[in-house]
Amino acid sequence: AQSVSQHNHHVILSEAASLELGCNYSYGGTVNLFWYVQYPGQHLQLLLKYFSGDPLVKGIKGFEAEFIKSKFSFNLRKPSVQWSDTAEYFCVIGGNNRLAFGKGNQVVVIP
Amino acid sequence: KAGVTQTPRYLIKTRGQQVTLSCSPISGHRSVSWYQQTPGQGLQFLFEYFSETQRNKGNFPGRFSGRQFSNSRSEMNVSTLELGDSALYLCASSLAQPKNTEAFFGQGTRLTVV
């Protein structure tokens, strides 16, 4: 079975602060890793993905994530957040022919 | 191009009834997956269809079923509704297996069982 853990479900921070969201996964085989984001009133959309190669991947809107295989982690970062980054962020793993979602991080950025 | 379309957006049903939800994928996408989203359990995988065949199924009772048509549109059906089936049901389409590519999600159908 595959599972994903995200901590600190609610995060509140001010504009220009740095953001880091933790993600740990459990799966016995090779996985593909994703971060999806859901902005208020919008549908889920892909932020970034990692399949292989450079473990530091860059996504849209200045986000990046680092895959650390030894720690089974895929943490998401952004050096300086904006009010428009207010959203729910989901860490997702793809393995065993399906996607498994973490419970999500609700991030609120205060102007 | 048009995104993933789910209909209806909202539904209210009573216990014991059945319901059918519809999903039209992005043109050219042959894989359609369904997820249930609740505050307590988060997003949970229901099943995935590809070229009219169910390739994968999550851990849900047999009351939850689905199908896919030759034009890749998909429906899911829940029979004998229970209060606990109240949730947001999301559909996602992708070109290939969703674990290997980007999945595009619809806005969801909000089902309330009373």
Side-chain angles (χ1 to χ4, degrees):
Chain A
Q2 54 198 45
S3 65
V4 184
S5 294
Q6 293 180 247
H7 312 290
N8 302 322
H9 182 66
H10 290 98
V11 177
I12 301 174
L13 58 168
S14 300
E15 275 193 317
S18 64
L19 172 68
E20 179 159 2
L21 302 177
C23 172
N24 290 92
Y25 67 91
S26 171
Y27 183 66
T30 302
V31 294
N32 295 329
L33 298 157
F34 307 83
W35 277 92
Y36 278 82
V37 60
Q38 187 167 28
Y39 297 103
Q42 297 188 27
H43 54 270
L44 274 164
Q45 55 189 283
L46 181 68
L47 197 57
L48 48 77
K49 63 181 185 286
Y50 173 78
F51 289 175
S52 64
D54 188 345
L56 184 63
V57 292
K58 296 191 184 301
I60 60 171
K61 303 188 179 185
F63 283 90
E64 64 179 30
E66 185 176 13
F67 169 53
I68 303 179
K69 189 174 181 180
S70 60
K71 295 185 178 180
F72 299 92
S73 71
F74 190 54
N75 294 351
L76 181 72
R77 296 192 291 257
K78 184 170 183 178
S80 176
V81 295
Q82 299 173 309
W83 174 78
S84 58
D85 294 322
T86 294
E88 188 157 18
Y89 294 81
F90 294 90
C91 182
V92 182
I93 65 171
N96 197 25
N97 296 323
R98 65 185 65 184
L99 296 180
F101 285 75
K103 292 284 179 74
N105 296 106
Q106 184 66 55
V107 174
V108 175
V109 180
I110 301 170
Chain B
K1 56 184 175 183
V4 178
T5 304
Q6 291 188 246
T7 56
R9 290 291 309 279
Y10 302 93
L11 266 178
I12 300 176
K13 292 284 189 179
T14 56
R15 277 180 297 175
Q17 285 188 309
Q18 75 163 15
V19 67
T20 299
L21 313 181
S22 179
C23 172
S24 293
I26 290 172
S27 177
H29 286 191
R30 294 164 67 188
S31 170
V32 174
S33 301
W34 288 89
Y35 299 85
Q36 181 195 67
Q37 186 175 23
T38 59
Q41 299 298 317
L43 273 142
Q44 293 188 289
F45 171 76
L46 280 156
F47 27 67
E48 186 235 353
Y49 286 86
F50 184 88
S51 293
E52 303 178 66
T53 300
Q54 186 183 88
R55 288 200 295 199
N56 216 339
K57 191 177 191 313
N59 215 14
F60 279 80
R63 300 185 297 106
F64 291 81
S65 63
R67 58 178 176 168
Q68 187 180 33
F69 302 94
S70 57
N71 62 358
S72 293
R73 189 178 70 86
S74 177
E75 290 181 346
M76 68 162 281
N77 184 276
V78 189
S79 62
T80 321
L81 283 165
E82 300 176 0
L83 294 178
D85 297 332
S86 294
L88 180 67
Y89 290 87
L90 292 172
C91 163
S93 78
S94 54
L95 280 169
Q97 285 187 4
K99 76 181 183 80
N100 290 332
T101 186
E102 179 177 0
F104 294 82
F105 287 82
Q107 293 273 52
T109 294
R110 172 77 61 187
L111 172 66
T112 303
V113 182
V114 298

